[in-house]
Every structure is written in C-alpha cells, then in structure tokens.
Amino acid sequence: MSTDQVAALVELARAGSLRTAAIGLHLTEQGLRNRLVALETALKVPLYHKQRGPRRRSPLTPQGELFLPHAVAFLEAARRFGERAGDGPQEIHVAATQYLTMYAMLDAVRRFHRAFPATRVRLSARTERDIEDALLRDPDLAFGVAAPYEGAAGIEYRHLFSLEWGLIAPPAHPLLKKRALTLADVKDVPLIVFERGSTGRQHVLNAFHKLGLSPRIDMEATTTGIVVKMVEAGLGVSLVPLMPNGSVTRGVKVGVRKLPGQIDPIHSGVLIRRGETLSATAEAFIKFLEPADAFGGAPLSHPDDGARRVEPHD
C-alpha cells in the first residue's frame, strides 16, 4: 500500500467523481483507477462504486467510507515524517469562516508572513459545516478556524476566544440614545439578520425567544460585512458579533451599542482531526490567532468600537 494509492482514495472522496479527482491529482482517469484497484487488492475489499448508478452521496462504498479516516490519518503521518526528515512545509492550508477570514485571519496571515517569510498560508473561506467535512476528507487541510458545529465525530475543538454581541444602527437612530438598551426595545424595529441556517442567526433568535419575543425581521444577509453596509444605508438595525479591535465597523458610518449578557457569545477556535498532532508550522500560525495577538492585546470584554461609538445620553 503506497501513499499514492491512499491519496487517490482520499481525493476521490473529496472531489466526488473519478474525473474531478484525476484532474486534481494530474492523472488520467485510468491512472487513478489503477491506483484504486491496487489499493483494493491490498486491502481485499471494494472501496469505490465502479458503475454509474443512481446519484449517490459519496463515490465510496461502505467499506471505503470506513477506511477513509484511516486513509487521512495515514497520509498525515507520512506528511509529518517528511517534515521531520526534510526542511518542513513551505505552505500550510487553513480554512476559516467568512467572518473570521475577514476580521481575524487576514491580519493574522499578514503578520505571520512578515515573521516567517519562507512559509505561506493558503487560506480558504468556508461554512462551519464545510470546514469540518473538509478536515475529514482533505489531508492537505491543516486545520480550520470556526465556531464548533454540532461536535462532528472525528473533530476536536481548541477554544481561542469568544465574541460578544452589539446593536449597530444608523448614527442618528433613537435606539443608540436609549438608556439600559434591551432586546425588548429592538423587537419592533426593522431588523437585518443573518441567513437561515447560520450560527449567528440562531444565537439572535434564541435570545429573543427566551424572552418570549418575536423580532420584526425585514432583511437577511449572508455576511457581517453586508449586514453592516445595509445598516449604513439606513435599511434597518442589526445585532452582530463584534471584534474587540473595532474591525467590524471601522470606517463605516454606524453607531454601536453593546448588549452585555443578552445574547450568547460566539465561541471560536481551532478545529483539528481527532488524535492528530499539528506541525510546528501550524502551531506557530495558531499563535497569531490567540487573543493577545489577534486583537492587539485588547481585552475580550470590550465591544467593537467602530467608526462611531455611541453611548446613551442621560
């Protein structure tokens, strides 16, 4: 059993078809089949579906799905051995959610490249669910950075930081001047929320429902950046997780009010394959994501300051 054969199976699982997997490995389809057949012969079990039948969720047989996590671990062990025997990796592949990519990862990558110019970080923006799925199927993905998503089997979570929520509104909005602002004050105001199925949306709606309130949802958006721009355009107000360094609303004409303890914080951290030891390079990059580095030493209890921080008037 060779690493090329095992990599063929892992790439087939990731790509979903022989044709796409062959392209990804720079092989002909027949060359890919030859490696898969050799692997099946070594293991004495069928690993992938040979015939085009009904559309399947996975090109792998049940035996192939059972072997897949072992295949990923096999390739990771081979990669770590190569690092110890050679000069180490010159690139690490990391996946993060869109929010963390925009407001934490880009700056961390920039600072990491400055400190380690010989090593590059290849960054992909994905959903929480996609990150966990990719970790189980793609051995080249070193780790993910996200909120934990329902605790997927085979994935470990290492906590980094928690983000509190705040109200953002156009600068002259009455809510920004209200004393002791609560969610009850927001329920009848046109609200911009995150798209269905997102972690952020669920946190917000759960907070309202715990109080027996039904918010007036007027618009939905896919990313925090779009939400902030919609608020700036006067289309409504929103509740968003805020970075302590003010990056979420920096340079945007909105007002910000904190809502301490009213919405469960967004926990974010590193997702890795269970039982895997990260490379020294990956661990070095994670240091740039830890609170003292990612937020410039700002305490996590402070809200996003934004372009126009507004406090309640007496």
Side-chain angles (χ1 to χ4, degrees), residues 96-97 99-101 103-105 108 111 145-148 157-164 241-244 265-270 286-295 298-301:
T97 59
Y99 179 95
L100 292 173
T101 295
Y103 300 117
M105 300 295 291
R111 290 182 289 108
V145 185
Y157 171 72
R158 184 194 303 179
H159 183 70
L160 285 177
F161 48 79
S162 298
L163 301 176
E164 298 293 344
L242 299 171
M243 297 292 287
I266 296 285
H267 303 302
S268 298
V270 176
I286 290 172
K287 289 292 184 183
F288 285 79
L289 296 172
E290 292 177 351
D293 285 306
F295 306 137
L300 292 182
S301 60

Side-chain angles (χ1 to χ4, degrees), residues 13-313:
R14 187 196 67 80
S17 72
L18 281 169
R19 180 180 180 183
T20 307
I23 293 172
L25 292 174
H26 305 289
L27 297 170
T28 64
E29 287 189 42
Q30 188 57 51
L32 181 67
R33 287 193 187 93
N34 290 344
R35 293 185 181 184
L36 293 169
V37 168
L39 184 60
E40 289 180 325
T41 300
L43 296 175
K44 298 182 174 59
V45 292
L47 297 174
Y48 75 104
H49 299 291
K50 310 296 190 297
Q51 303 296 328
R52 296 189 180 198
R55 185 174 181 84
R56 302 182 178 94
R57 173 183 163 275
S58 169
L60 303 188
T61 64
Q63 297 95 325
E65 289 287 349
L66 187 64
F67 178 64
L68 181 60
H70 300 284
V72 171
F74 176 85
L75 292 178
E76 175 58 23
R79 181 186 66 80
R80 291 201 303 270
F81 176 79
E83 289 178 17
R84 295 189 183 101
D87 296 328
Q90 297 302 302
E91 178 182 89
I92 54 173
H93 183 191
V94 180
T97 59
Q98 290 180 330
Y99 179 95
L100 292 173
T101 295
M102 178 68 69
Y103 300 117
M105 300 295 291
L106 295 181
D107 182 63
V109 170
R110 177 182 58 79
R111 290 182 289 108
F112 179 82
H113 284 167
R114 186 186 304 154
F116 299 93
T119 303
R120 310 307 294 172
V121 177
R122 181 157 55 98
L123 182 59
S124 302
R126 307 187 186 188
T127 66
E128 288 99 339
R129 185 189 291 273
D130 287 342
I131 290 172
E132 294 188 349
D133 185 63
L135 279 169
L136 296 174
R137 294 179 176 272
D138 184 358
D140 288 334
L141 183 61
F143 61 87
V145 185
Y149 187 91
E150 297 179 357
I155 299 293
E156 293 180 354
Y157 171 72
R158 184 194 303 179
H159 183 70
L160 285 177
F161 48 79
S162 298
L163 301 176
E164 298 293 344
W165 292 75
L167 172 84
I168 59 173
H173 200 283
L175 285 178
L176 297 173
K177 301 178 182 180
K178 189 173 183 63
R179 294 181 61 85
L181 182 68
T182 69
L183 292 179
D185 300 314
V186 181
K187 72 179 182 66
D188 294 323
V189 179
L191 189 64
I192 303 168
V193 299
F194 296 108
E195 63 182 341
R196 297 176 188 274
S198 65
T199 301
R201 181 192 181 102
Q202 198 59 50
H203 276 242
V204 170
L205 295 186
N206 285 347
F208 277 106
H209 293 163
K210 285 179 183 178
L211 299 174
L213 304 174
S214 296
R216 174 186 163 183
I217 297 175
D218 271 25
M219 295 186 177
E220 300 177 351
T222 55
T223 69
T224 303
I226 294 174
V227 168
V228 173
K229 295 301 288 185
M230 292 170 76
V231 172
E232 184 183 35
L235 301 179
V237 305
S238 189
L239 301 164
V240 297
L242 299 171
M243 297 292 287
N245 62 6
S247 58
V248 173
T249 58
R250 184 178 296 131
V252 184
K253 294 180 180 179
V254 297
V256 181
R257 282 286 302 276
K258 58 184 177 181
L259 296 169
Q262 298 189 48
I263 305 174
D264 289 340
I266 296 285
H267 303 302
S268 298
V270 176
L271 304 179
I272 62 175
R273 288 176 281 269
R274 189 175 302 280
E276 179 174 309
T277 301
L278 293 178
S279 69
T281 305
E283 291 287 2
F285 178 64
I286 290 172
K287 289 292 184 183
F288 285 79
L289 296 172
E290 292 177 351
D293 285 306
F295 306 137
L300 292 182
S301 60
H302 287 187
D304 185 297
D305 288 324
R308 293 179 58 110
R309 170 78 179 279
V310 180
E311 293 292 355
H313 292 282

